[in-house]
Amino acid sequence: MGYMARAAVAGGAVGIRANYVGDINDIKKEVDVPVIGIIKEVYPDSDVYITPTLKEVKALLTTGCEVIALDCTQRNRPNGEKLEDLVKYIRQNAPDVELMADCSDFKDAEIAHKLGFDYIGSTMRGYTPYTKGIEIPDCEFLTKLVKSFPDTKIIAEGGIWERDQLAKVCECGVYAIVIGSSITRPKDITQR
């Protein structure tokens, strides 16, 4: 993953979103750009899997990543944990680390804004029961986020495979764009 990150930065990426402590540590050795850290972990009592509990938050804080992304959907977290408690823990224990909210709809974004997230992302758009079937990237949604939360940086993420899609997303006025599968999954790229 460190070499994948190096290739992405050589190609013009100005940041990396990465999963798991080992990968983040490898990436931090290879490139000098901000890293959005996540840990995907599945728990039997919850559908939330992006940095779902305090255990994953604590692990990410060992990596030196500049941003931690948390699922900010309205679904219940594992073990009855609360999003606001995770935010509070990070703010108290690592005040220099910024927070990204992985949202699926406008209500999620409102919650993120109220909790003081630095970034609101469209990461979960189309991946929750209440947004399933919505075509992504959803430029109307992104534009609404930009206009509704001018003091928060909006990050577009999800479903961007083609240059035309990228151009349309850029027109929404977002702060940044995460490109994932279309540059990091050789099997999917080859199939397309």
Side-chain angles (χ1 to χ4, degrees):
M1 291 310 297
Y3 294 140
M4 289 283 285
R6 189 194 301 172
V9 171
V14 297
I16 303 291
R17 180 172 163 120
N19 187 16
Y20 303 124
V21 169
D23 288 348
I24 294 168
N25 288 336
D26 288 346
I27 289 165
K28 296 290 285 174
K29 290 176 191 170
E30 292 293 329
V31 297
D32 187 25
V33 297
V35 173
I36 300 170
I38 66 169
I39 295 178
K40 290 184 179 179
E41 189 67 50
V42 176
Y43 287 85
D45 63 337
S46 175
D47 290 330
V48 172
Y49 59 89
I50 297 176
T51 320
T53 73
L54 185 58
K55 176 185 170 191
E56 291 79 34
V57 166
K58 287 180 176 180
L60 286 171
L61 289 176
T62 69
T63 68
C65 64
E66 289 78 6
V67 181
I68 292 178
L70 301 162
D71 180 305
C72 196
T73 62
Q74 300 155 60
R75 302 173 297 173
N76 292 328
R77 301 187 92 76
N79 311 318
E81 292 192 31
K82 302 292 181 200
L83 178 63
E84 50 270 19
D85 294 334
L86 301 182
V87 170
K88 183 178 179 182
Y89 184 88
I90 296 166
R91 294 295 192 208
Q92 289 178 344
N93 293 281
D96 293 337
V97 174
E98 295 182 303
L99 296 174
M100 178 176 172
D102 288 350
C103 298
S104 69
D105 73 356
F106 193 74
K107 178 72 173 169
D108 297 347
E110 287 179 317
I111 292 167
H113 188 259
K114 183 178 177 185
L115 290 173
F117 276 79
D118 303 285
Y119 306 91
I120 294 175
S122 60
T123 316
M124 298 304 297
R125 188 81 170 153
Y127 294 98
T128 57
Y130 47 97
T131 63
K132 192 172 179 125
I134 292 175
E135 188 175 328
I136 55 174
D138 184 345
C139 289
E140 186 177 319
F141 176 62
L142 291 168
T143 300
K144 183 176 181 179
L145 292 177
V146 169
K147 289 181 179 176
S148 300
F149 307 110
D151 58 335
T152 304
K153 298 169 183 159
I154 306 302
I155 297 181
E157 181 173 0
I160 303 166
W161 282 89
E162 308 293 339
R163 290 175 60 154
D164 289 346
Q165 290 174 314
L166 180 61
K168 288 177 184 170
V169 168
C170 286
E171 291 172 7
C172 298
V174 296
Y175 173 77
I177 300 168
V178 172
I179 305 293
S181 298
S182 67
I183 62 171
T184 62
R185 293 189 180 174
K187 178 180 176 254
D188 293 346
I189 296 165
T190 303
Q191 285 176 328
R192 284 182 67 85

